[in-house]
Amino acid sequence: MSLVLAVPAASGQVPAGGARLSYTRGPGAEGCPNEQALRDVVAAQLGGMDPFVGGGGDRRIEVVLSRKGRHFLGEIALFDSDGRRLGGQELTGAACGALVEDVGTALAIMLRPVRSARGPSPSPPAPSPPAPGEAATAPEPPVTASPGGAPAGPPRAPAAAPLPPCQPAAPARPGERRGPSPAWPRLQVGAGALISEGVAPAPAVGFSGFVGARWEVFSLSLEGRVHLPVAAEPYRGIVYRVSWLGGSVVPCGHVAWFFGCGLVTAGRVRYLGRVNAVGDASWRYVGLGLRGGVEVPLSYSLAARLTGELVANLERPAFHLRGRENWSVAGSSKAGALHLVASF
């Protein structure tokens, strides 16, 4: 869909010699088509002629692409030779490539009427020279008699019909582009690495993945996580390892690139090893926490997500050795993660 800001000022103001083009891909639109792709769209609409070649003309057209939530925004502004803004137009689209096509079409509509109206009119063909021997005299017009008997002279040509007034070009009104409706969520899938502290005897490296649904300002996902085993040696020659496996329900609120989440986590803390009569064992774990982060778009369907979280450990498994507690899950834990997120 499109929003027209000042069509009368933007239409019919570009001179026949073309205009200077300024093309910018702002935050979130770095993966959009480049300037040459936009020029190609405009040239295709104008019969193969690129009105921006050479950067001539007294007017300047500024095009800025940016990302606004799940959609892309294209802003068109027209300036005169003194830098005064004459008008502009805004277009939105779910796909950046389709938005560039819409912007190119709008620019072509803006340029086409003036180029055709102010272009040089074709010259009438020159009369052919008379053949040798022929008299170069114009034929005598026929003479008709008037009611009074006097010759009335040559007949008059019928008056030409008045030309219709020039109408300004209608603004571009591209329809909603392909992609899900804003009322429907997008499917998101992500995977990445993390480092955690507080669940094992020492900082642990792990991996996590999630699948969820993303609306404009809200998302809900299910996440699975595993911490690789961390070794501990409480006494010389006595070594055991601790790992963690669990899942979380993660509701989040989003504002631009930033988001904040609640976290409900459950899993199992696993002990690996054999000390005295104790072999492999696992204990239940439950935690509640908060998460925050930033999601940086890399393209329309791919983003990088950096998160940090703090969790209160409600159930704290403990390991006893030689009749006393040797290690237990801390009262709180924290983690940081980096994910790649794909949206569909």
Side-chain angles (χ1 to χ4, degrees):
M1 57 184 175
S2 64
L3 172 63
V4 181
L5 298 183
V7 174
S11 301
Q13 295 291 330
V14 181
R20 292 171 291 150
L21 175 65
S22 172
Y23 181 74
T24 304
R25 291 175 288 184
E30 295 85 354
C32 293
N34 58 19
E35 179 179 332
Q36 187 57 50
L38 176 63
R39 288 172 175 260
D40 292 342
V41 174
V42 178
Q45 299 283 341
L46 298 178
M49 181 179 299
D50 186 350
F52 306 116
V53 171
D58 295 331
R59 303 291 190 265
R60 178 171 62 90
I61 295 178
E62 183 177 287
V63 176
V64 179
L65 302 184
S66 60
R67 185 162 182 166
K68 186 177 182 181
R70 290 193 310 108
H71 292 76
F72 290 93
L73 174 66
E75 299 175 88
I76 305 172
L78 176 63
F79 299 88
D80 64 10
S81 57
D82 296 327
R84 292 188 299 266
R85 181 184 173 98
L86 301 178
Q89 189 173 357
E90 288 185 1
L91 305 172
T92 60
C96 194
L99 176 62
V100 170
E101 294 179 5
D102 290 342
V103 171
T105 301
L107 292 179
I109 293 175
M110 185 185 301
L111 291 164
R112 184 185 295 116
V114 178
R115 295 183 60 85
S116 61
R118 298 192 181 182
S121 57
S123 302
S128 57
E134 295 183 0
T137 58
E140 292 291 337
V143 178
T144 58
S146 62
R156 295 182 179 181
L163 295 177
C166 180
Q167 299 293 332
R173 298 179 57 87
E176 180 68 21
R177 304 306 305 178
R178 58 183 176 271
S181 167
W184 291 93
R186 300 181 67 190
L187 174 66
Q188 286 194 322
V189 178
L194 61 92
I195 184 168
S196 175
E197 183 180 5
V199 178
V205 175
F207 301 94
S208 66
F210 69 89
V211 59
R214 168 71 189 275
W215 289 263
E216 186 76 21
V217 296
F218 177 76
S219 67
L220 179 64
S221 60
L222 299 176
E223 180 179 301
R225 178 186 296 185
V226 58
H227 294 178
L228 300 181
V230 174
E233 188 177 7
Y235 303 104
R236 185 178 181 83
I238 300 178
V239 179
Y240 62 89
R241 295 178 298 161
V242 176
S243 65
W244 184 89
L245 177 65
S248 304
V249 178
V250 188
C252 299
H254 298 258
V255 177
W257 289 3
F258 303 95
F259 60 90
C261 312
L263 199 65
V264 181
T265 303
R268 305 289 294 184
V269 177
R270 189 180 182 191
Y271 160 83
L272 305 170
R274 180 171 292 279
V275 180
N276 296 337
V278 180
D280 295 357
S282 65
W283 298 274
R284 185 176 60 186
Y285 165 86
V286 176
L288 293 175
L290 298 174
R291 174 183 295 175
V294 59
E295 184 174 301
V296 180
L298 304 178
S299 67
Y300 174 68
S301 59
L302 189 66
R305 176 182 292 183
L306 181 65
T307 62
E309 66 184 49
L310 179 64
V311 178
N313 300 321
L314 304 183
E315 286 204 35
R316 301 170 54 193
F319 174 69
H320 294 80
L321 180 64
R322 294 183 177 180
R324 65 186 180 86
E325 183 179 301
N326 179 260
W327 164 83
S328 68
V329 172
S332 64
S333 58
K334 50 183 176 292
L338 178 63
H339 292 87
L340 282 179
V341 183
S343 301
F344 304 94

